[in-house]
């Protein structure tokens, strides 16, 4: 195996790597010097652990322009957050609208809820994955309660018109849930300006924290009496009662949290704030534009999605004529040290929209630590495979 | 001897929010385990000088943070 320094890591859409300096150190520091259970005991180390969790909550709230940090609910990952929102809000007889570009972390809970009497409309997207907000408006029925959209496709990066849909959703008195798995940290997100009521995020992709972190941010329009908890258990609060507390964040956070992970996420958020989401976006857009142009210049390469850096995240899907994605992925890894993800990317609906189901695509997911030289090396590698070498 | 009071809160998160707000306004406080005679809870509460209690109450209510009660120690 090549040493880490020699690989070209183009799988940031799955999880970002490497992590910023300070992330591993913050996790080690927690384990070696703090280590206690937050919110349970009243001693100094328990309070020190609680401070780490609270500071991370404040950082997330600030990042998404949410005034009240107690409305940030931490969980294991974005999938858990989406399950909390969907299972917590939707009841039999309710109608929910989603797009034709969703990941299975949205589609599978929705299909499960459909079997329990929730009505589902999937608004189709164009061949490049884009969504016409007017079609969402047209799908609204009297019993619609929620619109759920991914902010950007995990397959080809297409950015959906979240703010435009937010406007429509709010005018009709519904709620908007956004799956920000691919965008939290990669694009500026302002929950108030974009009228996002629930934002599901992951800590380990463009927030550059460790795996096992993520959560759900609740805007002020979300009435927590209407959002059921997914799990019940110990919270360190109201211990005399056998019912789950009704206040935030304890209603939705039970069991000992991943403080080690949150310590790492907090350090990553410090780094993110220092670098700035806008400047990281500019860096990724420049890499993405070169990658898109370079790929399209190679005979036999088909690129999917908007093919415009301004309309997508730095995630690019393509295929090579005459080669299976799995073969391309294996050869990129073994012959060129380029690590990417091939196949269906847990998003069969999105691949149907793009016309790449069931074969899938080769996906390059760029991130903050990729360089122009790596993009050039990857383009040379793809060109060599396309020539049949 | 200094006289203290405690603010009982619903969760550690609220205690940390209150601690931050009071600190920003120069009202000294400390997070301590909830005294057993006040609650069966296993969490923490905010201890402050009894003389600062009314000022703290105003800050907390203005910020809209719910609390379980304020008690002299």
């Amino acid at each position: 195996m090549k040493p880490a320094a020699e690989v070209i890591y183009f799988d940031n859409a799955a999880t970002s790597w490497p992590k910023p300096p300070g992330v591993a150190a913050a996790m080690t520091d927690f384990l070696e010097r703090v280590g206690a259970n937050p919110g349970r005991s009243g001693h100094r180390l328990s309070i020190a652990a609680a401070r780490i969790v609270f500071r991370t909550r404040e950082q997330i709230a600030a990042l998404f322009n949410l005034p009240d940090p107690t409305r940030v609910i931490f969980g294991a990952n974005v999938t858990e957050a989406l399950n909390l929102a969907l299972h917590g809000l939707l009841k039999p007889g309710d109608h929910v609208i989603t797009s034709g570009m969703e990941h299975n972390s949205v589609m599978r809970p929705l299909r499960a809820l459909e079997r329990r009497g929730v009505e589902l409309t999937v608004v189709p997207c164009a061949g490049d994955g884009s969504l016409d907000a007017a079609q969402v408006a047209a799908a609204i029925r009297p019993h619609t309660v929620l619109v759920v959209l991914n902010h950007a496709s995990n397959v080809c990066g297409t950015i959906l018109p979240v703010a435009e849909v937010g406007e429509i959703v709010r005018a009709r008195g519904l709620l908007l849930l956004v799956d920000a798995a691919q965008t939290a940290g990669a694009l500026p997100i302002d929950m108030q300006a974009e009228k996002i009521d629930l934002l599901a995020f992951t800590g380990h992709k463009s927030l550059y924290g460790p795996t096992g972190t993520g959560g759900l941010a609740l805007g002020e329009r979300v009435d927590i009496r209407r959002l059921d908890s997914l799990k019940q258990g110990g919270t360190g609060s109201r211990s005399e009662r056998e019912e789950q507390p009704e206040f935030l964040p304890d209603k939705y956070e039970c069991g000992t949290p991943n403080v080690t992970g949150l310590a790492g996420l907090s350090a990553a958020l410090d780094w993110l704030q220092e670098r700035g989401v806008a400047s990281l976006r500019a860096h990724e857009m420049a890499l993405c534009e070169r990658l898109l142009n370079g790929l399209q210049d190679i005979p036999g390469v088909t690129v999917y999605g908007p093919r415009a850096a301004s309309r997508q995240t730095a995630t690019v899907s393509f295929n090579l004529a005459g080669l299976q994605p799995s073969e391309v992925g294996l050869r990129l890894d073994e012959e060129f040290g380029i690590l990417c993800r091939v196949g269906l990317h847990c998003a069969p609906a999105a691949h149907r929209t793009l016309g790449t189901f069931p074969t899938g695509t080769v996906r390059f997911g760029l991130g903050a630590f990729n360089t122009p030289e790596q993009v050039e090396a990857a383009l040379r590698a793809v060109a060599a495979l396309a020539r049949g070498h | 001897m200094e006289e203290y009071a405690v603010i009982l809160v619903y969760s550690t998160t609220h205690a940390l929010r209150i601690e931050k707000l009071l600190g920003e306004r120069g009202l000294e406080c400390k997070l301590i385990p909830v005294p057993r005679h006040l609650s069966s809870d296993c969490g923490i509460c905010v201890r402050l000088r009894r003389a600062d209690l009314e000022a703290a109450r105003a800050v907390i209510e203005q910020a809209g943070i719910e609390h379980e009660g304020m008690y002299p120690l």
Side-chain angles (χ1 to χ4, degrees):
Chain A
M1 215 166 95
K2 282 171 183 282
E6 284 180 34
V7 300
I8 294 179
Y9 187 81
F10 274 5
D11 200 15
N12 289 281
T15 193
S16 58
W17 187 81
K19 301 302 179 186
V23 171
M27 297 170 79
T28 304
D29 190 63
F30 170 74
L31 288 170
E32 290 184 347
R33 297 193 325 112
V34 184
N37 199 326
R40 300 299 191 270
S41 322
H43 57 73
R44 71 185 78 175
L45 291 182
S46 171
I47 292 171
R51 282 191 208 288
I52 292 171
V53 178
F54 183 67
R55 178 161 187 269
T56 317
R57 222 185 278 288
E58 288 189 309
Q59 288 172 294
I60 292 286
L63 182 68
F64 301 138
N65 193 23
L66 196 66
D68 179 356
T70 64
R71 295 182 80 86
V72 174
I73 313 301
F74 285 125
N77 44 46
V78 68
T79 300
E80 188 179 86
L82 288 164
N83 271 271
L84 164 59
L86 294 169
H87 287 283
L89 283 172
L90 296 170
K91 309 286 180 293
D94 287 346
H95 177 236
V96 55
I97 298 169
T98 193
S99 86
M101 283 301 284
E102 301 303 315
H103 188 275
N104 269 345
S105 56
V106 165
M107 290 317 296
R108 285 181 174 172
L110 287 178
R111 292 299 179 198
L113 284 159
E114 210 177 12
R115 286 198 300 274
R116 291 177 218 160
V118 170
E119 246 186 287
L120 170 65
T121 298
V122 181
V123 175
C125 292
D128 64 356
S130 61
L131 174 73
D132 178 3
Q135 286 205 47
V136 176
I140 295 173
R141 300 184 199 165
H143 57 300
T144 308
V145 297
L146 180 73
V147 175
V148 49
L149 287 185
N150 78 42
H151 195 180
S153 165
N154 69 303
V155 176
C156 60
T158 314
I159 298 168
L160 296 193
V162 160
E164 213 181 320
V165 173
E167 199 75 50
I168 293 164
V169 161
R170 197 150 294 190
R172 302 290 290 266
L174 317 177
L175 293 175
L176 173 63
L177 165 62
V178 170
D179 168 6
Q182 296 295 322
T183 56
L187 300 179
I189 297 178
D190 181 327
M191 288 181 69
Q192 295 185 68
E194 292 167 88
K195 299 186 166 58
I196 298 167
D197 296 305
L198 304 98
L199 186 86
F201 63 93
T202 180
H204 71 93
K205 292 183 179 176
S206 297
L207 296 182
Y208 292 92
T211 50
T213 58
L216 185 66
L218 303 174
E220 58 186 16
R221 290 174 75 243
V222 179
D223 178 354
I224 66 161
R225 289 168 302 186
R226 283 196 50 227
L227 178 66
D228 292 341
S229 56
L230 197 60
K231 303 177 292 188
Q232 296 80 39
T235 56
S237 54
R238 285 288 167 94
S239 293
E240 77 284 6
R241 296 184 56 207
E242 292 190 348
E243 285 78 34
Q244 189 75 7
E246 278 295 317
F247 51 82
L248 286 167
D250 298 28
K251 179 173 180 180
Y252 307 109
E253 283 183 7
C254 52
T256 300
N258 178 11
V259 194
T260 314
L262 293 174
L265 178 58
S266 183
L269 289 164
D270 283 335
W271 173 87
L272 190 75
Q273 199 199 5
E274 198 186 301
R275 288 288 305 268
V277 173
S279 104
L280 290 172
R281 170 68 176 150
H283 169 76
E284 290 184 10
M285 266 176 77
L287 295 180
C288 182
E289 191 167 4
R290 173 64 191 128
L291 179 63
L292 287 166
N293 292 337
L295 284 174
Q296 288 177 100
D297 285 344
I298 300 170
V301 170
T302 305
V303 180
Y304 304 95
R307 290 178 286 238
S310 63
R311 291 173 53 215
Q312 64 182 90
T313 57
T315 293
V316 174
S317 251
F318 65 96
N319 270 322
L320 274 173
L323 286 175
Q324 288 294 316
S326 53
E327 191 186 341
V328 175
L330 183 64
R331 292 188 60 190
L332 286 172
D333 183 352
E334 290 189 337
E335 297 169 28
F336 301 95
I338 297 168
L339 314 183
C340 62
R341 182 170 172 192
V342 299
L344 289 175
H345 312 99
C346 300
H351 277 284
R352 283 196 179 91
T353 296
L354 299 171
T356 49
F357 186 86
T359 313
T361 55
V362 181
R363 181 184 74 180
F364 283 174
L366 307 182
F369 295 103
N370 291 129
T371 62
E373 294 71 31
Q374 291 179 327
V375 171
E376 296 308 325
L379 288 170
R380 286 193 298 274
V382 174
L385 293 180
R387 284 195 305 270
H389 295 302
Chain B
M1 201 183 104
E2 190 72 72
E3 287 190 312
Y4 288 106
V6 291
I7 304 168
L8 298 196
V9 290
Y10 291 108
S11 83
T12 306
T13 310
H14 293 118
L16 289 163
R17 279 192 84 193
I18 290 171
E19 182 195 39
K20 190 177 179 199
L21 280 173
L22 297 186
E24 284 166 2
R25 285 157 182 81
L27 299 169
E28 211 176 287
C29 66
K30 185 177 163 76
L31 302 182
I32 64 163
V34 179
R36 185 66 185 83
H37 68 280
L38 290 177
S39 166
S40 59
D41 222 332
C42 53
I44 54 173
C45 62
V46 183
R47 189 190 70 177
L48 69 171
R49 276 193 292 268
R50 206 182 288 180
D52 290 337
L53 192 58
E54 286 318 304
R57 186 194 302 276
V59 171
I60 292 162
E61 282 174 6
Q62 202 204 340
I65 303 173
E66 288 175 77
H67 60 86
E68 273 190 85
M70 298 183 178
Y71 304 94
L73 274 189

